[in-house]
Amino acid sequence: MKYVDEFRDRDKAAILVREIGALAACIGRQIHIMEVCGGHTHSIFRYGVEGMLPSRIELVHGPGCPVCVLPIGRVDACLGIAEQPGVIFTTFGDAMRVPGSRKSLMQAKAEGADIRMVYSPLDALAIARANPEREVVFFGLGFETTMPSTALTILQADREDIANFSVFCNHITIVPTIRAILESPDLELDGFLGPGHVSMVIGTAPYEFIARFHRKPMVIAGFEPLDILQSIWMVLKQIKDGRAEIENQYARVVPEAGNAAALRAVAQVYELREFFEWRGLGSIEHSGVQLRAEYARFDAERKFAIPNISIADPAACQCGEVLKGLIKPWQCRLFGSACTPETPLGALMVSSEGACAAYHQYGGKVQRAETA
Amino acid sequence: MCLGIPGRIVRIDDAANMLATVDVGGVRRQINIVCIVDETHPVESCVGDWVLIHVGFAMSRIDEAEAAETLRILQELGEAQAEMEAMRLGATSAKASP
């Protein structure tokens, strides 16, 4: 496929691996690079990128998987809406297996709730159009990548006056969380791979504080193996040269200014929440958005009066430590025993973008390479 | 959800609502193109565009020149490595010969 195959070329990967090795040797110490985005985590495991890197370079898998950081209380709130009579609850497939305190959406569906997987919020709107006597709720989930699509769907519902459509908004924003990570005292990071598709929407300017105030390099990266290797190489070059800049490896998709139309829709429909809770990380200021009062009639939280309950993660669960990069997934006491992709306890085991599920699926190869 | 997929716009279905059909590796689907349209790039000029699609929306026009530039940097890196390797081999053989 065009724009995919040419970024998976083995010979070019081998060239980058040699350059990375030379730079790592030149820097001469242990280097920790965090990939913020769950999409990168998935690609890194899928293509065995960690196994190609010298042992001096350690990739820390960050909190950028929206399914993984969804707190139990919000999953319970979904179930509370989905199990009401007359409701059709629509969601991306990724969220179906996330465990709530009692069950997941998948289990609720098996028990008879009308829960439907959709590819796009526009599909949810089409269901609402076709079923005017039912309440159709879309589970809005994701970072800035999917935030505009939900906003544009709400604007479309508003134009068509589709009154039986609403959104349970759980969209979150990555920058305050990167800031929280940088201010966390127990974390040692030398640089970041920046989230490619969030940046396609927000542009490069919101990250400037990382370079300017925290003196850390960030390279906004694409998702193919060559993109990731080239971005690691660019981070290492900055470290070697003593530079801290926001660079853009993924310029074929990410314009410096982001996407104006998407940002307009986001600004029109949402406002920042004071706080939003992240599984494993706790409450982070201004890290989530909610619908503005003008769009209250499309806000499932107002339509269904959902209590904003906070439920603690299972006591033995170490998702938070994995999310902050303090332990590796296999060092969690539940990994692979009580917590598996078939019966996940923690959210990191649920989504294919979660570090634990990725280790579980592709891990054997990676661990061998690390011990070699 | 976050990864997206590249596809090519083959037809404008509804210019007023900014809906178009894309071809993704032989599979066709209707998507919304409002995020890639502006005064310099009107709806009718979108046919043939390569776009990155997320959850039913074209979110970015893929920049052919930038894609080529990324690959060119890698190409040059490979050529530089080959040259270094040749120099190293040359140096060894020069040392070996009397």
Side-chain angles (χ1 to χ4, degrees), chain A residues 199-235:
Chain A
S199 310
M200 155 189 89
V201 173
I202 69 173
T204 60
Y207 307 112
E208 278 301 328
F209 75 97
I210 298 170
R212 201 165 303 165
F213 298 111
H214 297 279
R215 302 293 307 151
K216 305 287 182 196
M218 175 185 261
V219 176
I220 293 161
F223 294 86
E224 298 302 331
L226 287 186
D227 291 321
I228 292 171
L229 287 170
Q230 188 178 25
S231 300
I232 292 170
W233 171 65
M234 288 166 75
V235 169

Side-chain angles (χ1 to χ4, degrees), chain A residues 247-275:
Chain A
E247 292 182 311
N248 183 7
Q249 181 275 337
Y250 200 30
R252 67 183 183 278
V253 164
V254 175
E256 302 283 304
N259 186 308
L263 288 173
R264 264 198 309 277
V266 163
Q268 189 177 344
V269 171
Y270 309 109
E271 61 192 10
L272 284 177
R273 290 177 196 263
E274 211 169 324
F275 286 96

Side-chain angles (χ1 to χ4, degrees), chain A residues 72 99-101 279 311-319 333-334 344-347:
Chain A
I72 292 177
S101 64
R279 194 184 285 226
I311 296 166
D313 292 322
C317 202
Q318 293 181 282
C319 281
R333 48 193 171 261
L334 303 178
L345 283 180

Side-chain angles (χ1 to χ4, degrees), chain A residues 349-368:
Chain A
M349 195 55 101
V350 175
S351 163
S352 64
E353 294 179 13
C356 292
Y359 263 89
H360 201 272
Q361 188 177 353
Y362 304 106
K365 203 165 44 185
V366 175
Q367 284 183 47
R368 265 201 304 280

